């Protein structure tokens, strides 16, 4: 499975640790940057991660900024993206199970690396449940066509 990962300047260290964590578990990681701590604009990286997912280059995406908020807002502007900010594993699990989240976001200034790894692991190990949730996800995606 391929995971696109992107971040702004606030999350370079966390991105590198999550990247290594994913690779140690056998995932292929596409690093969309940034890779310097020089101040940059998170919408660039949210969009890159979102596009990698909807274009099929990656199966899922992870986007990290200071809070997870700005980069999730940017990723969600890409048609087909369902980006969710998750700061603990329960929400991460439900974002997959009920919302078919395809871009996981969190804040490098909000959570620590061990919690981030737990969130990533829970998220990646949880499938979408479908059924009644498919209808609701379809309703969300239909908003993009209006
Ligand atoms: C950058 O200072 C910060 O605004 C950004 O990382 C993020 O938290 C925005 O939502």
């Amino acid at each position: 499975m391929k995971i696109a990962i992107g971040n702004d300047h606030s999350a370079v260290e966390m991105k590198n640790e999550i990247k290594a964590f994913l690779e140690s578990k056998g995932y292929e990681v596409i690093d969309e940057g940034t890779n310097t701590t020089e101040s940059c604009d998170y919408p660039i990286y949210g969009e890159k991660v979102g596009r990698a997912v909807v274009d099929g280059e990656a199966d899922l995406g992870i986007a990290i900024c200071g809070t997870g908020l700005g980069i999730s807002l940017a990723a969600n502007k890409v048609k087909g993206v369902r980006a969710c900010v998750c700061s603990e594993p329960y929400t991460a699990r439900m974002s997959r199970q009920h919302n078919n989240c395809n871009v996981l976001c969190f804040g490098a200034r909000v959570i620590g690396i061990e919690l981030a790894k737990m969130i990533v692991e829970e998220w990646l190990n949880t499938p979408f449940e479908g059924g009644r949730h498919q209808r609701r996800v379809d309703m969300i995606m239909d908003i993009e066509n209006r």
Side-chain angles (χ1 to χ4, degrees), residues 127-142:
F128 177 49
E129 205 173 88
R132 70 186 189 280
H133 302 297
Q134 183 64 62
R135 184 181 72 248
R136 293 161 184 165
V137 170
D138 289 344
M139 287 172 73
I140 295 170
M141 303 324 285
D142 192 47

Side-chain angles (χ1 to χ4, degrees), residues 53-73:
V53 173
V54 299
D55 291 349
E57 195 190 333
D59 299 290
L60 292 169
I62 298 177
I64 319 167
C65 65
T67 56
L69 297 174
I71 207 159
S72 72
L73 289 167

